[in-house]
Amino acid sequence: MKNYVIGVDYGTDSVRTIIADTSNGNEIASAVFQYPRWKKGAYCNPSKNQFRQHPQDYIDGLEYTIRQCISIAGEAIAANIKAISIDTTGSSPVAVDATGTPLALLPAFAENPNAMFVLWKDHTAVLEAAAINEHATKFETNYLQFVGGIYSSEWFWAKLLHILRADEAVQKACYSWVEHCDWIPFLLTGGTDAKNMKRGVCSAGHKALWAKEFGGLPPNNFFSSLDPLLDGFTSRLFTDTYTASEAAGTISPEWASRLGLSAETIIGVGAFDAHMGAVGGQIEPYHLSKVMGTSTCDMLVAPINEVEGTLVKGICGQVPGSVIPGMMGMEAGQSAFGDAYAWFKNVLAWPLKNILAQTTLVNESTVEALINETIDNIIPVLSKEAAAIPLSENNELATDWLNGRRTPDANQLLKGSITGLGLGTDAPKIFRAIVEATCFGAKAIVERFNNEGIPVKGLIGLGGVAKKSPFIMQMMADVINMPIRIHKSEQTCALGAAMFAATAAGIFNKVEDAMAAMGQGFDATYFPNPANTAIYAKRYEAYKSLGNFTEMQLS
C-alpha cells in the first residue's frame, strides 16, 4: 500500500498545496488559494514599506487547498495520507496572546495591521534594526556573528520592537511573538499554550538570533538594555528548537475533521520556503540553490566539519540543520527580484489603469479585458525585445535595490538606480538593465561566498522566474559565468515540504533519503556564452561602482 504526504507552501501572494506519492514524489493533486485581503492591498502601504497579511487568509487557504487536493485525489488516497509539513515566507512574525492566537483573530484587533503577520518584505522596522546593530557592539559576545554581522529590518526582533513601539494596544495584548512557519503546525496540532509551541531551528537561527553557542536566545539584558519594552520577552519565547525533519505533533481532532484526514496524521515542524524549497530542488553541498520569485533566497549547505569556524560576513545566517539536519545551512538573497520586474510592469501599466480605464468610447467590460490582456503581455514582450538588444559595455545600467539590499550586507534604506539614459532609451532597454541588475546582484552573492572561503561549485534554479524565463536564466549564466540547472518541479517548495513530511512521519530515516526517492530531477541547463561573459565582467564592475555611488548618496 502506497503512502502519501501533503506539502503546503505559503508564498507572498498565495498558498499552494500538493499531495505527493512518497515512493516517487509524483504530484497526485495540487491546489492554489490567492489571499483575498492581500489581493485587494488591504492593510498595506507600499509608500511606507508596510506589508501585512491577515491570519484568516492563511487559515482559509490552508483549509481550501487541502480539501481541494483531497477532492481531486479521492478518498482512497486521503486515507493513506501520513503527514503534513508546511513552509512559509520569512521572517513573517505575528503578535499572539498566551493561547498562541494571533491578535488579529480577536475581535478587538480584527482590522489592526499591527496585530497581523508582518510580512518578510515589510521594512517599517529600519530604525529598530539600526538600533540593534549599534547596540550589539556594546557586548563582549557578538550576538550577530551567526547572521552575517548585520541585523535586518526584515527579521524577527526588529519587527517585534517596531510593533511594540508603534502600537500600545498591541503592546499590552502581545504575550509572545511567533513566526508564520511555527504557528501553522501549532494551529494544526490544536495548540492552546504559546509556551508549548515547537519552534523550528530554521526560523530561530536565521532570524531570531538563536544559537546553541548562546544556550538559546541572547540573554534578557541584551534586549532589556536596548528597550525596556523587550524586558522579559525571552522568557515567553523559547529555548529549544527543532529541525523540520521532526514531528511537531499529531493533527487535532478538529482539524482532522475539517480537512477529512486521519486522526493519526503527523504534523511536521515548519520552516521557511527557500529552505524547504532547496530540499525539494535536490540541493547539493556547495551548490547555491536559488529560489527565484518576488525576491530570491539563496541556500547553500556544507558539511559542518568542513566549515566549522568560518563566519561569512553580510549573509542572512548560517545555522546547523536549518536546511538538512547534520549540515550547515547558509542563507543569502535579494530583496527584489521578480518584484523589480513587477515594479517596471506597473510603471508601464499606469496609463492603462488610470487613463484607458476611464474611456467611455467602448464597453466597460471590453476595456477591462483589453487592459488585463495588455498588462499580462508586458513582461513576455519586453523579454523578447530585450533579448534582441545587442550587448554592449555602454548599455543602460541599473542597480537592483528597489526594495533595499538583503545580501551582501543588509541595508534596507538603499534605493534602486538607473543611469546611462538617453533619448534613444526605450522600455525594452530599461527592462534589460533591470534584469541585468538582478543578475549582477546574484553574482555579488556568489562573489561574497567565494571571497569568504565558501566555494560555490554550482547553481540550481528554482521557482517561477527560473521556470518561465529563459532570457533571464541565460543572462544569469553569462553574468555569473557558471552553468545553472533548472529543477523540473513546478512546486519545489511544496515538494520539499512533502519530503520533510515523509521524514517526520518515519517513512524515511533522513531527509536525504526522501530527496533521493521523491526528487524530480532537472529539465534544463543554461551554459555561459563565452562571447558575453567578458563584457558582463566589465559591466559588473560598473554596476559595483554605481552601487557604491548610490549608497554613498543615501548614507
Side-chain angles (χ1 to χ4, degrees):
M1 184 176 294
K2 286 192 172 184
N3 294 316
Y4 302 91
V5 288
I6 291 176
V8 181
D9 169 36
Y10 280 95
T12 301
D13 301 318
S14 62
V15 56
R16 298 166 289 276
T17 294
I18 66 169
I19 296 176
D21 184 335
T22 62
S23 67
N24 53 25
N26 285 349
E27 185 180 295
I28 305 301
S30 66
V32 178
F33 178 87
Q34 302 286 332
Y35 309 133
R37 296 167 180 82
W38 173 259
K39 192 173 183 178
K40 294 176 182 177
Y43 316 116
C44 299
N45 187 340
S47 65
K48 295 182 179 180
N49 287 315
Q50 176 182 305
F51 297 97
R52 311 290 165 82
Q53 290 186 332
H54 201 290
Q56 193 61 51
D57 275 354
Y58 295 160
I59 294 172
D60 293 345
L62 179 71
E63 185 167 9
Y64 173 84
T65 56
I66 291 181
R67 290 187 65 87
Q68 188 74 6
C69 283
I70 289 173
S71 176
I72 294 169
E75 292 184 6
I77 286 177
N80 289 298
I81 291 174
K82 302 302 181 183
I84 302 172
S85 282
I86 64 100
D87 68 71
T88 73
T89 65
S91 179
S92 297
V94 69
V96 300
D97 65 12
T99 71
T101 302
L103 297 187
L105 294 177
L106 305 177
F109 296 99
E111 298 299 320
N112 185 339
N114 294 324
M116 299 173 190
F117 284 90
V118 185
L119 193 64
W120 63 269
K121 67 192 288 183
D122 186 297
H123 293 161
T124 53
V126 289
L127 296 179
E128 287 76 14
I132 291 171
N133 286 313
E134 191 278 331
H135 185 66
T137 64
K138 302 174 183 178
F139 290 79
E140 183 177 348
T141 299
N142 179 6
Y143 291 111
L144 306 185
Q145 63 185 288
F146 299 114
V147 294
I150 302 174
Y151 203 77
S152 170
S153 64
E154 293 184 339
W155 298 348
F156 187 92
W157 286 104
K159 289 177 171 177
L160 170 60
L161 183 55
H162 176 74
I163 293 298
L164 295 181
R165 287 174 170 178
D167 196 314
E168 185 176 0
V170 171
Q171 174 204 128
K172 291 179 177 179
C174 177
Y175 175 81
S176 191
W177 192 241
V178 177
E179 285 285 358
H180 184 193
C181 63
D182 294 327
W183 178 65
I184 296 294
F186 179 78
L187 176 75
L188 286 171
T189 54
T192 57
D193 185 343
K195 285 187 175 180
N196 295 332
M197 186 182 302
K198 285 191 173 180
R199 313 285 187 130
V201 70
C202 176
S203 58
H206 285 284
K207 313 301 179 186
L209 299 179
W210 182 94
K212 64 179 182 179
E213 289 82 355
F214 309 151
L217 298 168
N220 179 64
N221 75 303
F222 176 80
F223 299 106
S224 62
S225 59
L226 170 65
D227 192 308
L229 289 174
L230 295 176
D231 189 20
F233 226 93
T234 55
S235 67
R236 307 199 299 273
L237 288 173
F238 55 93
T239 299
D240 298 327
T241 64
Y242 304 84
T243 67
S245 62
E246 298 177 82
T250 304
I251 195 168
S252 69
E254 177 194 353
W255 274 100
S257 176
R258 286 174 70 167
L259 299 177
L261 294 173
S262 163
E264 297 178 355
T265 305
I266 295 296
I267 306 299
V269 170
F272 290 142
D273 47 6
H275 299 68
M276 283 193 170
V279 168
Q282 295 171 273
I283 192 171
E284 302 171 28
Y286 299 105
H287 283 62
L288 199 61
S289 174
K290 299 180 63 63
V291 181
M292 290 175 272
T294 52
S295 67
T296 75
C297 279
D298 298 359
M299 306 308 308
L300 186 145
V301 297
I304 292 175
N305 66 311
E306 294 181 10
V307 297
E308 196 168 6
T310 300
L311 294 173
V312 182
K313 294 183 295 185
I315 64 171
C316 305
Q318 46 195 86
V319 181
S322 65
V323 182
I324 296 175
M327 302 276 277
M328 183 68 75
M330 300 186 180
E331 177 190 351
Q334 294 164 265
S335 292
F337 195 78
D339 261 355
Y341 316 144
W343 164 79
F344 189 55
K345 179 181 77 172
N346 289 335
V347 170
L348 298 181
W350 189 92
L352 299 176
K353 295 177 179 178
N354 295 278
I355 299 175
L356 184 58
Q358 299 175 20
T359 183
T360 58
L361 298 178
V362 292
N363 181 273
E364 182 177 333
S365 62
T366 301
V367 172
E368 183 179 2
L370 177 62
I371 291 172
N372 290 336
E373 181 181 357
T374 303
I375 291 174
D376 288 344
N377 282 313
I378 287 177
I379 297 297
V381 173
L382 280 177
S383 296
K384 181 179 178 181
E385 295 297 318
I389 297 172
L391 175 60
S392 166
E393 284 187 47
N394 300 316
N395 286 353
E396 291 80 358
L397 187 69
T399 59
D400 54 317
W401 302 331
L402 281 94
N403 198 24
R405 183 178 64 212
R406 181 180 294 162
T407 313
D409 306 320
N411 186 342
Q412 303 306 339
L413 293 174
L414 294 179
K415 304 292 183 182
S417 55
I418 305 175
T419 190
L421 303 177
L423 293 179
T425 300
D426 56 15
K429 290 180 180 178
I430 295 175
F431 180 70
R432 182 183 176 93
I434 293 170
V435 171
E436 189 183 57
T438 59
C439 292
F440 286 149
K443 181 179 176 69
I445 292 170
V446 173
E447 188 175 71
R448 174 57 60 91
F449 275 116
N450 287 334
N451 290 344
E452 293 289 308
I454 305 296
V456 176
K457 298 180 180 179
L459 301 174
I460 297 173
L462 314 171
V465 178
K467 294 292 291 182
K468 297 175 183 177
S469 182
F471 164 61
I472 297 172
M473 290 301 96
Q474 183 60 57
M475 183 182 289
M476 183 169 290
D478 292 347
V479 165
I480 301 179
N481 195 17
M482 185 177 290
I484 179 167
R485 291 179 292 162
I486 309 302
H487 199 267
K488 186 181 296 183
S489 174
E490 297 278 353
Q491 302 283 4
T492 49
C493 293
L495 180 58
M499 292 175 181
F500 276 109
T503 308
I507 296 170
F508 298 102
N509 291 326
K510 55 184 181 177
V511 72
E512 291 96 322
D513 295 339
M515 289 169 63
M518 300 173 66
Q520 299 299 294
F522 302 86
D523 60 3
T525 301
Y526 294 90
F527 294 93
N529 182 340
N532 294 338
T533 54
I535 298 175
Y536 279 127
K538 294 179 180 179
R539 286 183 59 77
Y540 176 64
E541 294 303 315
Y543 161 85
K544 290 195 290 185
S545 296
L546 176 60
N548 290 337
F549 174 79
T550 302
E551 189 165 5
M552 182 174 62
Q553 300 306 306
L554 293 170
S555 62

